Amino acid sequence: MGRELFRVAVVGCGVGRNHIAQGYRRHPEGFRVQALCDIDAARLAAVVDEFAVPRRTTVFDDVLRMDDIDIVDICTPARLHFGQILGALSAGKEVVCEKPLVGSLAEIDRLIAAEKAAAGRVMPIFQYRFGNGVQKAKRIIELGIAGKPYLATVETAWKRTPEYYEAPWRGRWETERGGVLLMHAIHTHDLTTWLMGPVASVFGHTATRVNPIEVEDCAVASLVMRSGALVSLASTLGSQREISRLRLCFEHVTLESTHAPYSPGDDPWEIVPASPEAELQIAEALADYRPVPSRYEGQLAAYHAALTTGGPLPVTLADARSSLELITALYHSAATGTAVPLPIAADHPSYNGWGD
Ligand SMILES: NC(=O)c1ccc[n+]([C@@H]2O[C@H](COP(=O)([O-])OP(=O)(O)OC[C@H]3O[C@@H](n4cnc5c(N)ncnc54)[C@H](O)[C@@H]3O)[C@@H](O)[C@H]2O)c1
């Protein structure tokens, strides 16, 4: 794009409010939130007033007709994402969209094709990748210092009460499309594959035990990674103390996140080298480490750099596809009681969607 200031329309004033407060507002030189859209006029008015946003609409298509808008940031319920992303790409916009990006591998493959033909690109949100703990771990692994991956244990133990499910779209297969695996543990699982590499095979179990809902709120899974490493995933929405925790054992280092539930990427990660040589290599690798801002602020800083330079997006459709492929495999395994090998191709029975 070759310029510095990008005008944004945020669609959906739930977590969309956080995108403004914790993201765009922290980069006033790079982004200006010019328009807000929500079908709930009262909610829209509250956020418009809070941030003095110049323009508002309750109609998504109005946003697409706004010539001065560069970026459409989609924060609506997930079942709407696919159509809204396609619409925004067709209108020539850059697109940011919340997780889960879409509801099937078929849909994301259509988005990948649409993005290739469009002027704009799509950046899925995976804000937990932006934290200094996980960024340092990523650097140690990418530089080859960590060595052979052995095993990871990953917990997402959060709490959701019946009030959370008062939003009419939550808790049902038709409208939410999944439970703890799709909506909550998706973040820690994304961090897991980002750090441990691609998955070869998945075996999962799901259960609904915490709230009276259709979708799962407890899940466990064992993964065999393409490297041969093993990973165990445990996720629940019934934990009285909330934690997110990743513990990654490599040949030359063990890496462990904090237990902070909503900032698993943040410092301080515990970095335990296996030898004085590994300790020295890690110290050298981190000597010139430059801290990144956390979560939305960090992802949007990296996004701005990619827009101004034309470089690769910090999170891509390929990243969202890997996440959705793991989710597809987890649901298919839980439904069939079988191990599911990856990759999942177009002739797989769950390629067009999981659940119901
Ligand atoms: N990355 C994260 O940590 C994180 C956290 C929370 C939610 N999310 C994701 O963000 C998305 C929204 O979740 P939420 O918690 O904000 O939900 P929410 O129900 O609180 O908010 C969604 C908003 O979208 C509005 N909306 C619905 N249909 C619309 C339409 N056609 N056009 C414009 N606005 C419309 C609703 O009125 C509502 O205000 C979901 O995909 C969710 O998974 C991500």
Side-chain angles (χ1 to χ4, degrees):
M1 279 191 173
R3 56 196 180 77
E4 294 294 320
L5 182 69
F6 299 94
R7 292 186 180 78
V8 184
V10 175
V11 185
C13 290
V15 80
R17 188 201 162 275
N18 299 352
H19 284 209
I20 302 171
Q22 299 163 23
Y24 297 115
R25 290 275 289 219
R26 299 191 185 171
H27 300 289
E29 71 300 336
F31 298 107
R32 181 168 304 153
V33 179
Q34 191 76 7
L36 269 183
C37 172
D38 198 301
I39 53 169
D40 180 335
R43 201 174 199 188
L44 177 64
V47 183
V48 160
D49 290 348
E50 182 179 0
F51 298 104
V53 178
R55 214 175 309 146
R56 79 184 77 182
T57 175
T58 54
V59 180
F60 176 72
D61 284 355
D62 285 353
V63 171
L64 304 185
R65 285 188 286 269
M66 293 176 189
D67 291 339
D68 60 335
I69 294 297
D70 306 305
I71 299 166
V72 178
D73 181 345
I74 298 167
C75 299
T76 52
R79 69 181 186 286
L80 302 175
H81 293 176
F82 177 65
Q84 291 182 335
I85 295 171
L86 278 183
L89 282 178
S90 305
K93 307 296 188 191
E94 300 288 340
V95 185
V96 173
C97 184
E98 265 294 352
K99 51 53 61 174
L101 197 74
V102 287
S104 68
L105 289 170
E107 284 183 349
I108 198 156
D109 285 344
R110 282 183 58 194
L111 288 186
I112 289 168
E115 187 193 50
K116 282 198 181 108
R121 296 182 287 176
V122 183
M123 182 180 74
I125 290 288
F126 273 132
Q127 82 272 22
Y128 293 127
R129 289 187 182 191
F130 300 86
N132 291 306
V134 73
Q135 291 279 337
K136 287 178 197 169
K138 179 74 174 168
R139 177 182 278 209
I140 292 166
I141 295 165
E142 272 187 345
L143 289 172
I145 298 168
K148 184 174 168 183
Y150 290 160
L151 177 136
T153 47
V154 179
E155 284 170 82
T156 311
W158 293 3
K159 181 177 176 177
R160 293 294 181 271
T161 58
E163 295 75 60
Y164 176 78
Y165 293 100
E166 279 169 8
W169 59 277
R170 292 198 194 279
R172 293 189 291 126
W173 282 112
E174 191 191 343
T175 47
E176 196 168 21
R177 293 180 161 166
V180 65
L181 288 173
L182 183 68
M183 299 301 288
H184 308 89
I186 186 170
H187 292 293
T188 33
H189 296 173
D190 171 64
L191 295 183
T192 305
T193 51
W194 193 49
L195 297 172
M196 294 291 285
V199 182
S201 169
V202 170
F203 203 115
H205 295 280
T206 59
T208 307
R209 301 185 63 74
V210 182
N211 279 291
I213 53 175
E214 282 177 14
V215 297
E216 86 289 349
D217 52 25
C218 296
V220 291
S222 57
L223 315 183
V224 181
M225 309 306 276
R226 224 180 276 164
S227 65
L230 303 179
V231 172
S232 93
L233 307 175
S235 314
T236 182
L237 297 177
S239 175
Q240 297 311 316
R241 186 162 74 86
E242 294 192 303
I243 67 159
S244 299
R245 189 181 76 104
L246 297 96
R247 188 164 212 274
L248 316 174
C249 301
F250 286 77
E251 185 180 7
H252 300 304
V253 65
T254 295
L255 303 160
E256 184 167 349
S257 72
T258 70
H259 293 186
Y262 302 109
S263 49
D266 283 359
D267 257 340
W269 275 43
E270 190 178 53
I271 300 172
V272 185
S275 64
E277 295 75 27
E279 187 172 8
L280 187 64
Q281 283 184 320
I282 290 168
E284 282 171 3
L286 299 182
D288 63 348
Y289 177 80
R290 290 175 55 193
V292 298
S294 225
R295 287 162 274 157
Y296 291 127
E297 185 180 353
Q299 181 162 355
L300 290 178
Y303 183 46
H304 189 266
L307 288 176
T308 49
T309 61
L313 294 175
V315 182
T316 63
L317 283 177
D319 293 320
R321 194 186 193 287
S322 299
S323 162
L324 288 172
E325 189 176 43
L326 173 59
I327 286 162
T328 304
L330 287 165
Y331 283 130
H332 191 77
S333 175
T336 58
T338 58
V340 177
L342 270 62
I344 291 178
D347 60 355
H348 190 278
S350 291
Y351 178 75
N352 290 301
W354 54 78
D356 44 36

